[in-house]
Amino acid sequence: MATTRKIKWGILGTGGIAKKFAADLAHAENGELFAVGSRTTESAKAFADEFSIPHALGSYEELANHPEVEAIYVATPHPYHKENVLTALNGGKAVLCEKPMTVNAGELEELITTAKEKNLFLMEAMWSRYLPALVKVREWLADNKIGDIKIVKAEFGFRIGWEPESRLLDPALGGGALLDAGIYPVSFASMVFGPNPERIWTTAHIGETGVDEHFSILLDYGNGKTASLHGGVRLGLPNDAFIHGTNGYIHIPQFLFADQATLHINGEEPVTFSDSRGEQGISGYKFEAEEVGRALLEGKKESSVMTLDESLAIMKLLDKVRADWGLTYPFE
């Protein structure tokens, strides 16, 4: 049997999320870690040594211009995504950018325009979309297992210590719950109902540093369809998701990291889907990398699971939410 050609990946950035992606990429069927780029050669070499990467490059530009790198994963904090993605696109590379792809819709529109002008692949790294449990959930929904969907409930919140200088509490770094944690439940609701609700109600607690420490959002999609969403960075939450329909409901424990989902059909025994990736030492980032690999090997310029139009619509929704709070970042 012919083996699948492996896409040569570069990682831009050497922080915590870059390490998780690098560890998982070793398990990808259609990708291999080929290079890493950092702002210093020392940082790149240390990262390369840790993950056995052939090429350690001392600048993002060197990574973007390396002739053998095919795809770049942008792993820097979101205020730097626009600049970093443009660097990668200008180097002619396909890009997978950590969520949120940018801090506002205007920046994202610029990236999408550039990618299309250069005929290059671009995708937001909404990694949970590609987890086997959520793939199964979409299959259940497509098969109308729980009837007409009426209510989605999802949340993602964790409690950090009081560190006002930390990235998560620093408005100059796009800190706060909405972009870091909240985008996950918002994207989950979009996966089920689409990204364009008819009405939006929101509330947020703005903390001492000027960022949203926790929030609640209610989205009305018409025809009795609503999504109740919550997030926080100074508030721990159970982090489950539920999809309620006229014939039953679906429960996804810890939906962001989901390794199982349970289908409850009225009058029937529950059915639970689970995967064993944890036993193999796989966190789950490999699945989004494989999605990129499949698209590139098929000549596609975006993913059908997380389209650029959907990413842009979600970012416009987040902009509306922040506007309702009167929250802007210093760099906007």
Side-chain angles (χ1 to χ4, degrees):
M1 295 179 60
T3 56
T4 301
R5 184 178 80 79
K6 292 194 173 186
I7 298 296
K8 292 182 177 179
W9 280 88
I11 294 182
L12 190 154
T14 56
I17 195 69
K19 292 183 177 181
K20 292 179 180 179
F21 186 84
D24 250 30
L25 193 57
H27 300 277
E29 295 181 1
N30 59 14
E32 61 180 336
L33 192 43
F34 183 77
V36 60
S38 183
R39 287 174 294 183
T40 68
T41 302
E42 292 74 21
S43 176
K45 286 183 176 178
F47 193 94
D49 289 344
E50 182 175 355
F51 295 100
S52 302
I53 304 172
H55 300 276
L57 305 170
S59 74
Y60 299 153
E61 289 75 17
E62 284 184 77
L63 177 67
N65 292 314
H66 194 291
E68 293 185 72
V69 171
E70 297 174 86
I72 290 178
Y73 170 60
V74 173
T76 51
H78 40 268
Y80 308 115
H81 285 176
K82 175 189 167 184
E83 175 186 352
N84 298 157
V85 171
L86 286 175
T87 295
L89 292 174
N90 287 331
K93 303 299 186 281
V95 178
L96 172 67
C97 180
E98 185 51 45
K99 62 79 205 168
M101 191 123 65
T102 56
V103 295
N104 56 48
E107 288 189 352
L108 183 51
E109 287 176 328
E110 183 176 344
L111 296 187
I112 292 172
T113 296
T114 301
K116 290 184 175 180
E117 287 176 348
K118 293 180 176 295
N119 198 30
L120 293 169
F121 180 93
L122 176 63
M123 187 179 99
E124 183 176 24
M126 186 54 62
W127 75 296
S128 55
R129 283 279 176 108
Y130 306 95
L131 298 178
L134 287 191
V135 173
K136 176 56 69 174
V137 166
R138 290 199 294 276
E139 290 177 3
W140 287 338
L141 296 180
D143 292 339
N144 200 35
K145 293 289 188 180
I146 60 171
D148 189 17
I149 303 164
K150 293 298 184 182
I151 292 176
V152 166
K153 296 184 290 185
E155 61 192 20
F156 181 49
F158 50 89
R159 181 170 175 80
I160 62 169
W162 178 242
E163 301 172 3
E165 298 83 15
S166 70
R167 177 184 67 82
L168 289 172
L169 296 180
D170 187 349
L173 293 177
L178 186 66
L179 294 190
D180 199 273
I183 191 171
Y184 286 112
V186 171
S187 183
F188 183 84
S190 178
M191 182 187 80
V192 179
F193 284 138
N196 297 302
E198 294 181 2
R199 292 186 293 174
I200 305 170
W201 294 271
T202 74
T203 184
H205 169 65
I206 307 300
E208 292 180 29
T209 64
V211 304
D212 54 305
E213 293 188 359
H214 62 263
F215 69 85
S216 297
I217 299 174
L218 183 64
L219 303 177
D220 176 8
Y221 294 86
N223 298 316
K225 300 178 183 295
T226 59
S228 176
L229 313 172
H230 311 273
V233 293
R234 292 271 292 152
L235 186 66
L237 299 172
N239 300 333
D240 288 4
F242 294 85
I243 305 171
H244 295 269
T246 53
N247 197 38
Y249 70 96
I250 297 169
H251 175 210
I252 308 106
Q254 293 279 315
F255 83 97
L256 176 61
F257 313 98
D259 59 9
Q260 69 176 49
T262 301
L263 173 66
H264 299 261
I265 297 177
N266 296 341
E268 299 183 13
E269 286 295 314
V271 174
T272 296
F273 170 90
S274 60
D275 74 64
S276 59
R277 70 177 191 273
E279 299 173 9
Q280 305 167 51
I282 298 171
S283 296
Y285 296 92
K286 84 163 192 127
F287 301 112
E288 64 180 0
E290 288 176 339
E291 171 74 3
V292 176
R294 283 190 295 270
L296 294 181
L297 293 171
E298 294 171 8
K300 297 179 179 178
K301 303 306 175 186
E302 62 180 294
S303 165
S304 60
V305 177
M306 190 79 228
T307 67
L308 294 173
D309 282 346
E310 185 181 5
S311 289
L312 181 58
I314 290 172
M315 186 53 63
K316 288 180 178 179
L317 191 158
L318 298 182
D319 284 354
K320 290 178 182 177
V321 168
R322 283 201 294 124
D324 188 50
W325 300 341
L327 177 62
T328 59
Y329 302 117
F331 49 81
E332 290 186 293

